[in-house]
Amino acid sequence: MAWTSSPIPLLYLVWIGLLFSSGDAAPSGRCIEKERKALLSIRTGISDAHEWLSSWTGKDCCSWEGVECNAATGHVIKLDLHNPGGPSSNISKVNPSLLELKHLSYLDLRWNYFDAAPVPEFIGSLTELEYLNLSSAGFGGTIPHQLGNLSNLLSLELSENKISGGIPESLGSLSELVSLGLALNSINGEIPATLGDLRSLQIMDLNSNNISGEMPETIGKLRNLELLDLSSNKIQGVIPESIGNLSKLWALRLSNNKIGGAMPATLGNLTALQTLDLSNNQISEQMPDSLGNLYRLESLSINGNNIGGEIPSSMGNLCNLSSLDAHENRIKGQLTGFTEGLSRCRTSSIWSLYLQNNEISGPIPNEIGKLQSLIRLNLGSNSLSGPIPASLGNLFVLTDLNLSSNSLVGELSEANFANLTNIDSLDLSHNLLTVDDSQDWLPPFQATDIRMRSCNLGPKFPPWLRNQTTLSHLDLSGNGISDAFPDWFWSLCLSDLNLNVSRNYMKGGLSSSIACFWTVIVDLSHNNLEGFIPTMDPMLLFLDLSDNLFSGPIPPAMAAGTDYLTFMLLSDNRLNGTVPSSFCEAYHLQVLNLANNGFSGALPDCWNDSLALKILDVSGNKVSGGIPETLGLLPQLKSLHLNDNGLSGRIPSSLQRCKDLVTINLGQNRLSGAIPGWIGEKLSSLKVLRLRSNMFTGAIPPQLSRIASLQVLDLARNNLSGALPAAFGNFSSMISIQNETKPVLGEEGTYYTENIVVDAKGLQLYFTTVLSLVTSVDLSGNNLSGEIPEELTKLRGLHFLNLSENRFSGGMPQNIGAIGQLESLDLSENNLSGRIPSSISALNFLSHLNLSYNDFSGRIPSGSQLGTFTDPSIYAGNPQLCGPPLSEKCPGDAASEIPTEASQEEDADEDEYGIIWFFVGLAPGFVVGFWGFIGTVMIDRRRRIRYIQFLDMICSWFLHR
């Protein structure tokens, strides 16, 4: 008998096999001791603020929270250590003992915090891993290329970390990978072409990184891909044609990149697509007709591009489309084809249609009234015309309707709104519409937001508003309303209201009942409202009553009693009394504009460093006394206008603490003393310094030249003396050419437009929105002496220069033409002498020039822009000047105009020779011309016949006239 037939050796072999196959395996349900110890070491690195690892005790690690073992071998195959409390701020560490779990197929460390530590390279040794989730775990560094060794990996999730660097090409070897998530990191570089080898990939999420370059054509190899999200990166180029190969794709998100070119027609192959987001790119040209093939598409976002052409009528086939956002493009044409198609759908699903800020023209189609699922419709800022169709009133679930900034006409009546019972937001601003103003009609809806700017609603205040008791935003500005606020309006006592009735002709006063309004924003500016200002709601944030006829004092409670008041604009009224000291308790107030009223007395001197005031304008009043010292305690002060008052004394040194000051306008007061040098040393952000028409004395401090940002310097009409500092040629913002229109102030400029008056070109020029372009130096009307420094010619970006009415001597700077942007130059009434430099003719933008009453001599330069100055008065008072436009001839001019005998003989000789050469040239010219034509006709038979036919046609025409 053979040995193998014996049962004893056979059992022995089985026993040996089991011994070797089990290795270090534990009995069923019991973990391996070596792996248990590794788990305990791993636990020491994990922050356990929620004590969710408290179950990690005892010998049976397979029963611990987050641990799963193989039932047969006892090896740990799953380790779920994600923080159950969500993202943590407690620092954790990955323990190298993780390497002992060689059979691990599932590892989840998300929502821990590893303090920007790099992803451990040794994770690439856990070759059995199928699921790896390290998202939102605070990892930094780069993606280790060793992860490419995880050949069994199905899901890799590294989103929401601090990972930088590029995507390793080695990831392209993860042939089994189904899901790749690297979103919300700082990954840069290009998408490796090797990712096209991930043929099993279904999800690729790389959004919110710094990925650049173009989308690789190899992306078209990922035929199993279902979700592709590359949004919020820096991807350029065009969408590759190969994208059309991804037939299983149901979501494509490429928004917030720099993708250009046209949408490829192959997008129409993605018939499984439900979400397509290409918004905020640089895509151009017309949408392809093939988009009409995406019959499963539910959401299409293409806003914020340069897409032109019409909306393809084929898109009317998208019966499953629920949301279309195409605002801020250049879409043209009419909507008829698109809406007709959607209206033919058995059940149209579209509930959101955003097409604002395009170039769509023609009427609003009647078919739009058949899209009865519409909840939000925005067609604002287009070129739509004609009346609003009555069919729009069939959209009974519509809540948001915006048709603003078009050319719509006609009257809106009950028929238009009959079924619009759910309207919550209505914006018809900037059209030529009128609304039924009969006392009987009331809208069937209760809106929270009604905006009807510039709709020609006047002259009556709209009576149909009297049942709108839920309003939180009402804008009726610019409507020509010349009515008073009706009593029923004040009885509404609306809460959280933003009210704008500015730029009308409203009259009458404000009822004390306004106190019951819980108003947030009140803008009644540019009307004819009068009377006293009543006390307002303490929750008020913004109040603009400027340009009205309000009178009386400001109620003290108006300043301190409004707990959140941030902007108060009361300029250009008839208010009087003193400026209330209670403003010193308005801790949230940022802008206070009291300009052009009748306030008198001293300014409050109670300001403190806990205030947020950034702009203070009390110009154009009758305020007296000194500038308060405590103004220097305002740490955020940017703009100070105290001009055109009766202030006296010195500029307080405390203002040097206001290091954010951009504008100081103290002109037209009675301020005295020396101009302090600390203005140039401490106020480095200053752009406008206007101290004109005061009583300042002494020399101009050279420290002012240190203000690199200074663009407007006006020290005119004082008693300043001494020399003009040569360092004034160093003003950086006047050396460079200012060509960018931008707010002089920051966000505060949204509600307060910085303004300044510049005396130039013999006029008072008022600058507001373009103030950032203005550069000006005006030192006129002082006692300045010495020479004008040549260094001033370095200010090539200077527009206005006025040094008139001083005692400057010497010559004009020879290189004056280097100030290439100069528009106005006034050097009149000085003691300047010598010749006017010829370089002045290079000032091509010069439109105002005054050099009168000096001691200039010699010929006035000519040419270029100087030739446009024909008024001799600009050179008056310079008896030694000559030449146009003056009547005085320069020496030698008269002699050159009388022809001498020699010159007459020379002219005669020239005439004689001219006649001879005329006849010399005439003879050969005749010969060549005549025989060149006749000879050709005689020799060439075909041309001779055509010529005779031509003559015959001419003769026939004359004979038959």
Side-chain angles (χ1 to χ4, degrees):
M1 182 181 290
W3 69 272
T4 51
S5 62
S6 172
I8 295 176
L10 186 60
L11 290 172
Y12 179 77
L13 290 174
V14 171
W15 180 80
I16 292 294
L18 289 172
L19 179 66
F20 281 96
S21 66
S22 64
D24 54 358
S28 178
R30 300 283 300 277
C31 74
I32 297 167
E33 180 62 19
K34 186 177 182 181
E35 294 184 2
R36 188 182 76 86
K37 291 180 178 179
L39 287 170
L40 291 175
S41 297
I42 293 169
R43 175 186 174 178
T44 61
I46 302 297
S47 173
D48 189 15
H50 297 277
E51 299 184 353
W52 55 282
L53 297 178
S54 58
S55 66
W56 284 31
T57 58
K59 294 291 185 180
D60 187 9
C61 65
C62 295
S63 63
W64 294 354
E65 181 79 21
V67 179
E68 185 178 320
C69 300
N70 184 295
T73 65
H75 286 299
V76 176
I77 58 172
K78 178 178 180 179
L79 183 57
D80 186 350
L81 295 180
H82 82 273
N83 193 323
S88 172
S89 59
N90 298 316
I91 298 175
S92 295
K93 293 182 179 179
V94 181
N95 194 293
S97 297
L98 190 63
L99 270 175
E100 299 295 334
L101 308 180
K102 299 183 184 300
H103 300 272
L104 204 61
S105 63
Y106 183 108
L107 177 59
D108 189 347
L109 298 178
R110 62 195 155 101
W111 296 346
N112 288 284
Y113 179 63
F114 294 98
D115 196 24
V119 175
E121 295 176 357
F122 62 73
I123 289 181
S125 300
L126 302 174
T127 55
E128 298 297 320
L129 274 178
E130 297 178 358
Y131 179 91
L132 177 59
N133 192 337
L134 306 180
S135 61
S136 301
F139 282 110
T142 60
I143 301 172
H145 66 86
Q146 290 87 347
L147 294 186
N149 299 332
L150 305 178
S151 57
N152 293 306
L153 203 61
L154 301 176
S155 176
L156 175 59
E157 184 61 70
L158 298 176
S159 300
E160 296 187 62
N161 281 289
K162 302 175 183 177
I163 297 171
S164 57
I167 300 173
E169 292 194 3
S170 62
L171 293 189
S173 63
L174 304 179
S175 58
E176 302 296 322
L177 198 65
V178 173
S179 176
L180 175 62
L182 305 177
L184 294 160
N185 282 288
S186 299
I187 296 170
N188 52 37
E190 299 186 10
I191 299 173
T194 56
L195 291 191
D197 298 329
L198 303 178
R199 305 298 173 86
S200 300
L201 199 65
Q202 296 178 16
I203 296 174
M204 182 190 287
D205 187 356
L206 309 181
N207 83 80
S208 303
N209 281 287
N210 294 315
I211 297 171
S212 57
E214 299 185 11
M215 294 173 62
E217 280 284 344
T218 56
I219 209 160
K221 297 179 180 180
L222 306 176
R223 295 178 183 270
N224 287 304
L225 204 61
E226 297 178 5
L227 184 149
L228 177 59
D229 192 344
L230 304 179
S231 58
S232 300
N233 280 286
K234 298 178 181 177
I235 298 171
Q236 300 173 337
V238 299
I239 300 172
E241 296 277 343
S242 63
I243 200 86
N245 298 335
L246 309 181
S247 58
K248 296 183 180 180
L249 203 64
W250 61 265
L252 176 59
R253 300 187 181 106
L254 303 178
S255 61
N256 298 303
N257 280 287
K258 299 179 181 179
I259 298 171
M263 289 185 236
T266 55
L267 282 175
N269 300 338
L270 307 179
T271 54
L273 205 61
Q274 298 175 31
T275 299
L276 176 58
D277 189 350
L278 307 179
S279 59
N280 299 314
N281 279 286
Q282 298 167 11
I283 298 171
S284 57
E285 299 186 32
Q286 188 169 351
M287 290 176 269
D289 287 333
S290 61
L291 289 183
N293 300 334
L294 306 179
Y295 61 92
R296 287 193 177 96
L297 194 65
E298 297 177 3
S299 175
L300 175 59
S301 299
I302 53 174
N303 52 289
N305 282 285
N306 295 311
I307 297 168
E310 294 189 27
I311 298 176
S313 57
S314 63
M315 287 180 60
N317 301 330
L318 304 180
C319 294
N320 288 308
L321 191 66
S322 61
S323 173
L324 171 59
D325 190 348
H327 76 272
E328 292 187 27
N329 280 287
R330 295 183 297 106
I331 298 172
K332 299 178 173 65
Q334 300 189 14
L335 296 175
T336 307
F338 172 57
T339 55
E340 278 183 354
L342 288 179
S343 68
R344 287 194 294 265
C345 293
R346 182 178 299 175
T347 54
S348 175
S349 302
I350 193 161
W351 60 269
S352 178
L353 184 57
Y354 286 158
L355 298 176
Q356 69 269 29
N357 296 100
N358 278 287
E359 300 169 20
I360 300 169
S361 58
I364 299 174
N366 278 316
E367 290 78 12
I368 208 164
K370 297 179 182 179
L371 308 181
Q372 296 189 356
S373 297
L374 269 176
I375 296 176
R376 299 191 183 103
L377 175 61
N378 193 333
L379 303 177
S381 299
N382 279 286
S383 300
L384 296 168
S385 57
I388 296 176
S391 64
L392 204 65
N394 298 329
L395 303 177
F396 56 89
V397 296
L398 195 67
T399 62
D400 295 0
L401 176 61
N402 188 335
L403 304 177
S404 63
S405 301
N406 282 285
S407 299
L408 300 172
V409 297
E411 182 181 70
L412 298 178
S413 62
E414 185 175 357
N416 297 95
F417 296 106
N419 297 317
L420 301 182
T421 57
N422 291 295
I423 287 290
D424 182 68
S425 176
L426 177 65
D427 191 346
L428 303 178
S429 303
H430 301 291
N431 282 288
L432 300 174
L433 301 169
T434 57
V435 180
D436 186 355
D437 60 357
S438 66
Q439 297 293 327
D440 298 329
W441 179 75
L442 293 175
F445 52 79
Q446 284 284 319
T448 62
D449 190 338
I450 294 179
R451 305 179 192 220
M452 302 190 75
R453 297 184 301 274
S454 303
C455 276
N456 195 30
L457 298 180
K460 292 194 295 183
F461 192 88
W464 51 267
L465 288 172
R466 65 184 183 273
N467 74 330
Q468 299 299 302
T469 58
T470 61
L471 279 174
S472 62
H473 195 121
L474 177 61
D475 190 343
L476 302 177
S477 57
N479 273 296
I481 301 172
S482 56
D483 205 356
F485 281 104
D487 292 337
W488 58 257
F489 179 75
W490 301 120
S491 66
L492 293 175
C493 284
L494 299 169
S495 59
D496 296 324
L497 179 66
N498 293 344
L499 177 64
N500 187 349
V501 195
S502 63
R503 301 185 183 281
N504 282 287
Y505 305 99
M506 297 287 295
K507 58 188 179 182
L510 297 182
S511 169
S512 59
S513 299
I514 197 174
C516 79
F517 278 64
W518 290 7
T519 47
V520 179
I521 295 176
V522 174
D523 188 352
L524 306 179
S525 60
H526 301 278
N527 279 288
N528 296 317
L529 297 169
E530 57 188 0
F532 292 102
I533 298 175
T535 302
M536 302 271 184
D537 173 49
M539 302 298 290
L540 188 66
L541 291 177
F542 177 96
L543 176 64
D544 190 353
L545 302 180
S546 58
D547 287 285
N548 277 286
L549 303 172
F550 289 111
S551 57
I554 299 174
M558 190 77 172
T562 48
D563 298 335
Y564 300 98
L565 188 65
T566 307
F567 301 92
M568 179 179 278
L569 311 175
L570 303 178
S571 62
D572 297 283
N573 278 284
R574 299 174 179 177
L575 300 172
N576 53 35
T578 59
V579 176
S581 59
S582 54
F583 279 123
C584 297
E585 301 171 26
Y587 293 104
H588 294 92
L589 192 63
Q590 295 183 22
V591 177
L592 177 59
N593 188 356
L594 306 177
N596 302 321
N597 279 286
F599 294 111
S600 58
L603 289 173
D605 196 5
C606 52
W607 311 97
N608 58 79
D609 58 8
S610 62
L611 299 175
L613 196 63
K614 297 180 180 180
I615 297 172
L616 177 61
D617 191 343
V618 195
S619 60
N621 282 283
K622 302 174 183 178
V623 175
S624 58
I627 298 174
E629 284 279 347
T630 56
L631 281 180
L633 299 178
L634 296 171
Q636 300 181 52
L637 193 63
K638 288 187 175 183
S639 178
L640 179 62
H641 289 258
L642 303 178
N643 52 290
D644 293 276
N645 278 289
L647 297 170
S648 58
R650 297 173 178 265
I651 298 176
S653 60
S654 62
L655 282 181
Q656 63 186 295
R657 300 178 188 171
C658 304
K659 299 185 183 300
D660 292 335
L661 270 170
V662 173
T663 300
I664 296 180
N665 189 352
L666 306 178
Q668 283 90 12
N669 279 289
R670 300 194 192 97
L671 299 171
S672 58
I675 296 175
W678 53 255
I679 293 179
E681 295 170 345
K682 302 293 184 180
L683 305 182
S684 58
S685 299
L686 207 60
K687 294 183 179 180
V688 176
L689 177 60
R690 187 172 184 270
L691 305 178
R692 73 177 293 124
S693 301
N694 277 286
M695 301 164 61
F696 291 111
T697 56
I700 298 175
Q703 295 95 322
L704 295 182
S705 64
R706 300 181 189 178
I707 310 175
S709 56
L710 196 64
Q711 292 182 215
V712 176
L713 175 63
D714 189 349
L715 308 180
R717 309 292 168 192
N718 281 285
N719 295 315
L720 301 173
S721 58
L724 175 57
F728 271 26
N730 297 330
F731 288 123
S732 299
S733 290
M734 301 185 198
I735 293 175
S736 59
I737 297 174
Q738 304 298 325
N739 53 20
E740 184 180 356
T741 303
K742 55 187 177 182
V744 175
L745 302 172
E747 61 182 14
E748 303 80 20
T750 306
Y751 302 109
Y752 176 87
T753 303
E754 187 62 280
N755 61 92
I756 206 75
V757 174
V758 174
D759 287 59
K761 302 185 179 183
L763 303 168
Q764 285 194 328
L765 305 179
Y766 184 73
F767 291 102
T768 54
T769 54
V770 296
L771 182 56
S772 62
L773 304 177
V774 177
T775 49
S776 173
V777 173
D778 190 347
L779 306 178
S780 61
N782 282 287
N783 293 310
L784 300 173
S785 57
E787 295 189 359
I788 299 173
E790 188 73 28
E791 287 81 356
L792 281 188
T793 62
K794 294 191 297 183
L795 306 180
R796 65 189 187 95
L798 187 64
H799 290 102
F800 310 118
L801 177 61
N802 191 345
L803 303 179
S804 64
E805 298 181 56
N806 279 286
R807 294 189 290 114
F808 288 114
S809 57
M812 190 189 303
Q814 288 300 307
N815 199 26
I816 191 73
I819 313 178
Q821 299 295 308
L822 205 60
E823 299 177 37
S824 177
L825 175 63
D826 193 342
L827 303 179
S828 62
E829 298 187 51
N830 278 286
N831 299 319
L832 299 171
S833 59
R835 290 181 175 271
I836 299 173
S838 59
S839 69
I840 198 172
S841 62
L843 298 177
N844 294 325
F845 296 104
L846 198 65
S847 59
H848 177 82
L849 176 66
N850 193 347
L851 303 180
S852 62
Y853 299 101
N854 280 284
D855 197 19
F856 291 116
S857 59
R859 182 186 297 275
I860 296 172
S862 61
S864 190
Q865 187 70 6
L866 281 184
T868 64
F869 296 110
T870 58
D871 182 3
S873 66
I874 65 175
Y875 301 108
N878 292 279
Q880 299 184 62
L881 278 179
C882 62
L886 299 178
S887 57
E888 290 82 1
K889 300 285 190 296
C890 292
D893 284 354
S896 65
E897 292 177 4
I898 302 173
T900 61
E901 184 177 346
S903 66
Q904 289 176 339
E905 291 177 358
E906 184 177 347
D907 290 341
D909 291 340
E910 288 178 0
D911 290 342
E912 183 180 348
Y913 283 115
I915 293 170
I916 293 173
W917 282 109
F918 172 76
F919 286 104
V920 168
L922 180 63
F926 174 79
V927 171
V928 171
F930 179 80
W931 287 108
F933 173 74
I934 296 298
T936 302
V937 171
M938 291 177 66
I939 295 171
D940 191 333
R941 181 175 178 274
R942 182 181 299 173
R943 293 189 179 182
R944 185 166 65 250
I945 292 172
R946 288 181 179 175
Y947 181 64
I948 293 170
Q949 289 175 337
F950 173 74
L951 291 176
D952 183 68
M953 181 183 71
I954 294 296
C955 293
S956 297
W957 183 81
F958 276 101
L959 290 172
H960 293 88
R961 288 186 64 184

